Amino acid sequence: MSRFALPAFTALVVLFTIAPLLVLMFSSFDDGRFFRFPPRDFSLRWYHAAFASVEYRSSLLNSAVVGLIATGISVTFGSAAALGLLRGAARSRATLEMILVAPLTLPLVIWAIALLQIYAWLGIGGTLWGLVLAHATFTLPFSVRVMLATFASIDPGLELAARSLGARPWRAFARITLPLALPGLATSAALSFFISFNDVIVSTFIAGSSWITFPVRLYSQLRGQGIDPTTMAIGTMIIVSILIVVGLTELFNRRTLRA
Amino acid sequence: MRSWDNDGFATTGTSARAVIERAQTSWLLVPGVVLVASVFLAPFLLLFAMSFWSQPEGTLLVDPSPTLGNYQRIFSDGFYLRGLMRTLWLSVATVLISLILGFPVAYWIVRRARRLRRLVTALMLLPIVCGALLPTLGLVNLLSPLGIINGSLRSLGVIDRAIPLLGTQFGILIGLVQAFLPLMVLPLVAVLDQVPRSLEDAAMSLGARPAQVWRRVVVPLAARGALAGSVLVFCAALTSFVTPQILGQGKIATFAAMTWQQASLVLDWPFAASLAMVMLMLIGALGVSVAVLRRSLGQRL
Amino acid sequence: MTPYLKLRDVTKTYDSAVALSGVGLDIARGEFMTLLGPSGSGKTTLLRIVAGLLTPDRGTLVLGGDDMTARPAWERDIGLVFQNYALFPHMDARTNVGFGLEMRGIAGAEAARRIDEALEIVSMGEYGTRHPSELSGGQQQRIAIARAIAIKPRLLLLDEPLSNLDAVLRQSVRGELRELHSRTGLTTIMVTHDQVEALALADRVALMEAGKIVQIDTPERLYDQPATAFVAGFLGAPPANLMPLAPHRAPGVVSLGGAEWRPEGVAAACLAGLDRAVLLALRPEALRIVPTDTTGAIVGQLRAVEYLGGERLAHVEVVGAAPETPTVCVRIGHAPPEPGQPVGILPDAVTGLFDRETGAKSALPPKGA
């Protein structure tokens, strides 16, 4: 095998993985109503349309509200659970961790079908709180995983050192562990938010007519009318904001650890 | 025998962690565990029960007297069985292709990436963070008759008529591999990270050529990761419905898409539940066989 | 005189393994005490209990007249230097050193003065604004020491302070620790598994084995008069030879691992009246290689010679001994005969006799009895 075969292969596979997103971004600048390659004209037409559309704006807002609340729950519960797993009794750790990351291992579609019935009984199908509850649940494993890795990477001796220097346990945690965990908290928040924001799999089952998120609207539109180029522009903006947030988190990460 | 003494306060951390009070931190687990147990796990019990209920045709009222009718319908109706077979083959193909594409990538990330590691890992994670729809949206423009692939080939004069990609199983397969490849790469990276490089160097110093090093050392040691990744990709592909529905243009029904249809369009929830149970049982069977396989692997590794 | 630090009956069990059993220790004010022992002997556990980071199952701890047993770590005023230094990575050196002062509500000029003072003691005055990641291992350790002494601790604890330093640095830091101790006069407890460190630095050494202190003594006494076979077999590089010894029917003869030996001189005086099977401790430097026909010599065969630079270690197999008998290690200066040759070993001194089962010092009946 030549020296360049492996890097070249890797580059191709990575390109393949992100190609759809690149195509999406590229085609959002195509002026035509129906995308065709090579494009005839480029314009920002669909971006203007995106900013002008009230319908899309309200569904995007819905997604953001669900995402923010769910992220808050996911990160708090997830960080607490990660700490509990790391510092709690070791005997039941494996079982508890398995429960906490279950939404990552069991397919969400299957769960969503059961949730549909339960939400109907509880009368929270298609409501904000129904969505928040579901989104907080399936984003929780991401927070747990990230925070487990984060807390595990922080030398517990640091907190002990703080105690030996006169810090009470709570103060030692707040002054030492918490600041060092900030990059991890930022990562899990970003991850939870965007996964919630972009979720269609669960939301399409439990979204009613009152609280429609952007992906749910997009999905029903795709099945019915085909692609509206406006959504390409919106999708591009979502991807760009993801990249910006990831970049900022990375920067923050490096600054905090100064390594 | 555990040693209490040799590694100081924090080189491994476990002993220092023991110092921080145990009992007082257990309550931290309560909110998360309660949330998952009640909102996530409990519904699976209901799903099981629901799959034995029925919904008389033409009504939306559920009859909770237990019946095997739903399952009889699935296994006697060729429509569902064919859908199941089609989905199984698509899932297996997705796993195999992901394995072939993912293994070298994981190896490169672990051994060669250096500074690029974080970037490439982030790029591989991007499709997960973007959800199922955005990449699918891009794939449509990539695969459509006027899309990038057909458009390029046509301008190069390779073809005059568009190759059908959208609405074919091949198109769906591309979408599935693209969506779930990260699920294969990440566990492989995790496992390969644990394999010390010196093992490969040792094999080479004993006269193994690079290909032999791969076959005799790297691949066997990464088998656990490949197994974990394969299970994840298989489950994801088996239960995916958004990608197949959009890329299949509604022409190719996968099992999960049928389930979605029953739940969201036909509104026959008990039947949807039994379809979901079939998928769950397939996954359960897979889980059991993998556990057995792992045990036999575990004896050697 | 009442001891400054008094430990009584300190016992600690992890799950089911006993880490410390009934440890008692007295330390005088200003003393430099070293806890020495192999991995798993309980020395770090003991240090953590003193620091208040572990709660003992039983026992008491009194420091300067105050019962500390139930007092949490943050109220003990005990400075602790961690093995890996445990510097806070998100704070610069000054903030690290000032952390203990911050916790005590000391701020402003008073804090700045004490931080400067502490940094000065460890000669790190110019490095205050650096972050731990910008400091070398040796510099990090100095900051860790400054942080521990900035709180004016009642006791300074050092956990394996030299283990993360390279060999060259270790030498100089050893000297600096000694100087730090004499300058600050702080009562200091150091944990180490390295006997050279322990012997070189400490006023007294507490040697630990399996959760117990087996001997507390000055380095000299510990080396010359080991209390147990374990102590004799632990101290020294190489440590003392521990040879199985038993009485023999013939008068004036003993059985060394099954081989007959007729000791003379010092050895004979020590072994007169041997009435039971014991372990004989012989320091390698208290043995000489002599011709086999020398009176009082143990007859052996030279197995191997290790050259250590300036001196050699000869490994001699006792002729006629049972196969499981260890070879005798002899420290010699000059070039020995070729390996394989028969040689004699003549002891100049006997380090001790120990019970074969318990390892405790065996007292023989008085000489001439």
Side-chain angles (χ1 to χ4, degrees):
Chain A
M1 207 197 303
S2 123
R3 266 180 61 214
F4 299 105
L6 186 62
F9 185 84
T10 306
L12 281 176
V13 173
V14 173
L15 182 69
F16 167 71
T17 319
I18 58 167
L21 300 175
L22 296 176
V23 173
L24 173 72
M25 289 155 96
F26 176 78
S27 52
S28 69
F29 296 101
D30 177 18
D31 185 61
R33 178 79 186 81
F34 300 98
F35 174 78
R36 58 181 303 154
F37 189 83
R40 302 218 173 101
D41 242 326
F42 293 102
S43 80
L44 291 177
R45 179 180 163 196
W46 306 114
Y47 287 85
H48 293 299
F51 284 109
S53 158
V54 178
E55 278 172 75
Y56 286 130
R57 198 185 305 154
S58 78
S59 67
L60 283 166
L61 191 68
N62 285 350
S63 286
V65 171
V66 172
L68 282 176
I69 305 175
T71 298
I73 300 174
S74 159
V75 172
T76 1
F77 286 21
S79 309
L83 264 185
L85 282 178
L86 277 176
R87 297 185 177 178
R91 215 169 305 143
S92 46
R93 187 187 151 157
T95 318
L96 288 169
E97 190 177 342
M98 220 161 77
I99 293 175
L100 285 163
V101 302
L104 213 56
T105 46
L106 287 169
L108 297 180
V109 195
I110 300 177
W111 168 57
I113 287 174
L115 212 53
L116 189 65
Q117 177 75 63
I118 294 177
Y119 274 21
W121 282 337
L122 297 177
I124 55 171
T127 65
L128 170 64
W129 294 108
L131 282 166
V132 163
L133 198 61
H135 283 220
T137 305
F138 71 71
T139 53
L140 184 74
F142 292 94
S143 297
V144 171
R145 279 276 163 85
V146 172
M147 293 321 291
L148 263 180
T150 303
F151 286 131
S153 72
I154 298 172
D155 177 0
L158 295 179
E159 232 178 272
L160 296 184
R163 290 193 196 183
S164 82
L165 291 166
R168 296 176 162 277
W170 178 244
R171 189 139 184 225
F173 176 78
R175 192 81 171 76
I176 307 299
T177 305
L178 203 57
L180 290 172
L182 278 181
L185 287 168
T187 305
S188 39
L191 211 55
S192 296
F193 178 77
F194 284 115
I195 287 171
S196 157
F197 188 91
N198 288 322
D199 171 71
V200 62
I201 294 171
V202 176
S203 307
T204 183
F205 284 97
I206 56 173
S209 48
S210 64
W211 200 276
I212 294 177
T213 61
F214 176 70
V216 171
R217 146 157 251 119
L218 181 56
Y219 184 47
S220 73
Q221 197 181 56
L222 277 176
R223 278 180 293 111
Q225 301 113 40
I227 296 178
D228 170 2
T230 315
T231 58
M232 294 278 180
I234 296 175
T236 302
M237 290 189 276
I238 294 175
I239 294 169
V240 169
S241 27
I242 291 174
L243 293 176
I244 290 174
V245 169
V246 168
L248 287 178
T249 319
E250 182 69 24
L251 223 76
F252 178 52
N253 223 319
R254 286 194 195 162
R255 252 198 48 198
T256 311
L257 298 177
R258 301 260 308 226
Chain B
M1 162 75 198
R2 278 152 81 189
S3 119
W4 310 112
D5 222 315
N6 58 350
D7 51 28
F9 274 80
T11 40
T12 62
T14 41
S15 34
R17 235 164 234 135
V19 176
I20 297 172
E21 303 74 14
R22 289 218 152 133
Q24 287 175 23
T25 50
S26 298
W27 61 268
L28 286 169
L29 283 158
V30 172
V33 170
V34 166
L35 182 71
V36 174
S38 62
V39 181
F40 190 81
L41 295 177
F44 281 90
L45 297 176
L46 175 78
L47 187 79
F48 179 72
M50 234 167 97
S51 71
F52 295 102
W53 298 348
S54 59
Q55 183 168 299
E57 220 158 311
T59 70
L60 288 179
L61 293 172
V62 169
D63 174 9
S65 48
T67 161
L68 282 172
N70 292 330
Y71 290 101
Q72 277 163 357
R73 186 169 150 207
I74 296 170
F75 290 109
S76 57
D77 191 332
F79 178 71
Y80 295 106
L81 283 179
R82 276 195 305 277
L84 187 60
M85 283 305 144
R86 192 184 302 128
T87 311
L88 281 174
W89 116 254
L90 278 173
S91 306
V92 170
T94 307
V95 168
L96 293 179
I97 297 173
S98 304
L99 202 52
I100 293 166
L101 296 184
F103 209 110
V105 173
Y107 183 81
W108 181 84
I109 288 177
V110 171
R111 291 282 187 259
R112 308 275 167 80
R114 296 160 199 265
R115 282 159 168 274
L116 288 175
R117 179 172 177 152
R118 289 188 73 91
L119 178 71
V120 172
T121 315
L123 287 178
M124 293 302 290
L125 268 168
L126 205 54
I128 297 182
V129 180
C130 286
L133 269 182
L134 296 183
T136 312
L137 214 54
L139 275 171
V140 170
N141 282 354
L142 188 68
L143 304 175
S144 72
L146 293 172
I148 296 204
I149 292 178
N150 278 313
S152 313
L153 292 177
R154 203 173 9 234
S155 6
L156 292 171
V158 183
I159 51 168
D160 351 289
R161 265 229 236 118
I163 315 170
L165 292 169
L166 274 190
T168 67
Q169 295 204 11
F170 181 63
I172 293 179
L173 200 54
I174 290 178
L176 291 176
V177 172
Q178 187 274 330
F180 303 133
L181 186 60
L183 299 179
M184 181 65 85
V185 173
L186 297 179
L188 277 172
V189 166
V191 168
L192 281 174
D193 260 335
Q194 312 283 315
V195 179
R197 197 194 184 115
S198 57
L199 294 184
E200 286 161 59
D201 295 339
M204 269 190 274
S205 76
L206 292 168
R209 299 174 165 283
Q212 289 169 309
V213 173
W214 262 69
R215 202 164 44 86
R216 299 291 306 277
V217 180
V218 180
V219 172
L221 287 174
R224 276 164 184 281
L227 204 58
S230 300
V231 170
L232 285 178
V233 171
F234 182 83
C235 292
L238 182 74
T239 60
S240 82
F241 63 96
V242 174
T243 308
Q245 216 157 28
I246 305 296
L247 297 181
Q249 304 255 284
K251 285 184 241 167
I252 300 163
T254 59
F255 205 66
M258 294 171 178
T259 311
W260 178 84
Q261 234 160 19
Q262 289 298 323
S264 293
L265 301 180
V266 183
L267 298 180
D268 187 345
W269 293 353
F271 187 56
S274 59
L275 288 168
M277 276 306 295
V278 170
M279 289 193 280
L280 193 61
M281 284 185 287
L282 277 171
I283 289 165
L286 180 73
V288 170
S289 32
V290 163
V292 171
L293 197 61
R294 268 181 88 127
R295 190 164 299 168
S296 69
L297 273 177
Q299 278 164 355
R300 288 188 290 118
L301 290 179
Chain C
M1 197 191 85
T2 53
Y4 181 56
L5 174 73
K6 199 163 72 181
L7 295 177
R8 286 290 174 273
D9 192 31
V10 173
T11 299
K12 178 75 187 175
T13 317
Y14 291 105
D15 297 333
S16 57
V18 177
L20 287 178
S21 58
V23 168
L25 184 62
D26 287 343
I27 300 180
R29 186 186 286 272
E31 194 174 13
F32 196 127
M33 167 70 79
T34 295
L35 301 178
L36 173 68
S39 306
S41 58
K43 53 192 194 303
T44 296
T45 303
L46 186 58
L47 195 75
R48 287 177 202 178
I49 287 174
V50 174
L53 298 171
L54 271 181
T55 322
D57 303 337
R58 212 173 61 218
T60 54
L61 194 157
V62 178
L63 179 64
D66 302 330
D67 187 346
M68 295 289 213
T69 317
R71 204 179 281 189
W74 51 92
E75 288 170 8
R76 285 196 186 191
D77 286 331
I78 291 178
L80 173 56
V81 178
F82 287 69
Q83 184 178 8
N84 69 350
Y85 319 135
L87 293 179
F88 307 132
H90 55 309
M91 301 177 187
D92 65 17
R94 286 191 74 84
T95 321
N96 263 286
V97 175
F99 187 86
L101 304 174
E102 184 193 325
M103 293 302 122
R104 285 163 179 75
I106 300 168
E110 166 69 1
R113 193 185 59 74
R114 283 176 65 173
I115 294 170
D116 288 336
E117 193 182 275
L119 285 173
E120 219 39 64
I121 291 177
V122 295
S123 324
M124 287 290 289
E126 306 110 86
Y127 295 91
T129 54
R130 299 261 191 106
H131 274 247
S133 60
E134 297 159 341
L135 296 171
S136 72
Q139 292 169 332
Q140 288 183 30
Q141 189 191 43
R142 286 153 185 258
I143 297 298
I145 292 172
R147 185 174 71 177
I149 61 178
I151 61 171
K152 300 221 155 67
R154 308 171 73 179
L155 192 64
L156 181 64
L157 306 179
L158 305 168
D159 187 17
E160 301 266 6
L162 305 179
S163 66
N164 282 352
L165 302 174
D166 62 55
V168 180
L169 209 52
R170 212 172 281 190
Q171 285 282 346
S172 65
V173 173
R174 215 158 72 191
E176 285 168 25
L177 284 178
R178 194 96 186 93
E179 203 197 336
L180 176 81
H181 177 245
S182 59
R183 264 174 78 180
T184 58
L186 283 168
T187 312
T188 306
I189 304 179
M190 174 175 90
V191 154
T192 181
H193 64 268
D194 181 347
Q195 45 174 302
V196 179
E197 277 171 30
L199 300 180
L201 275 170
D203 296 326
R204 283 194 303 154
V205 176
L207 188 66
M208 298 191 66
E209 182 204 8
K212 288 194 169 105
I213 293 180
V214 286
Q215 190 173 0
I216 309 177
D217 248 320
T218 60
E220 289 83 1
R221 286 177 58 91
L222 204 64
Y223 191 82
D224 295 335
Q225 298 166 36
T228 70
F230 171 78
V231 179
F234 184 79
L235 282 183
N241 296 292
L242 290 170
M243 307 300 291
L245 194 72
H248 196 272
R249 281 186 309 272
V253 178
V254 291
S255 156
L256 186 74
E260 287 184 19
W261 174 40
R262 187 180 287 276
E264 281 290 328
V266 185
C270 274
L271 299 177
L274 182 73
D275 56 354
R276 71 201 98 136
V278 294
L279 282 173
L280 170 67
L282 297 169
R283 291 251 172 237
E285 58 272 24
L287 296 173
R288 269 182 295 151
I289 297 278
V290 293
T292 45
D293 52 5
T294 314
T295 46
I298 301 162
V299 181
Q301 191 186 24
L302 190 60
R303 275 279 153 232
V305 177
E306 290 173 84
Y307 180 62
L308 302 178
E311 58 175 24
R312 292 169 176 81
L313 283 182
H315 296 271
V316 182
E317 188 179 284
V318 178
V319 170
E324 68 274 13
T325 313
T327 57
V328 181
C329 195
V330 184
R331 196 188 290 269
I332 47 178
H334 57 276
E338 285 297 296
Q341 298 291 311
V343 292
I345 311 169
L346 192 65
D348 290 329
V350 170
T351 304
L353 290 176
F354 304 98
D355 188 274
R356 268 209 211 168
E357 261 70 54
T358 63
K361 195 148 194 154
S362 253
L364 292 187
K367 274 176 219 168

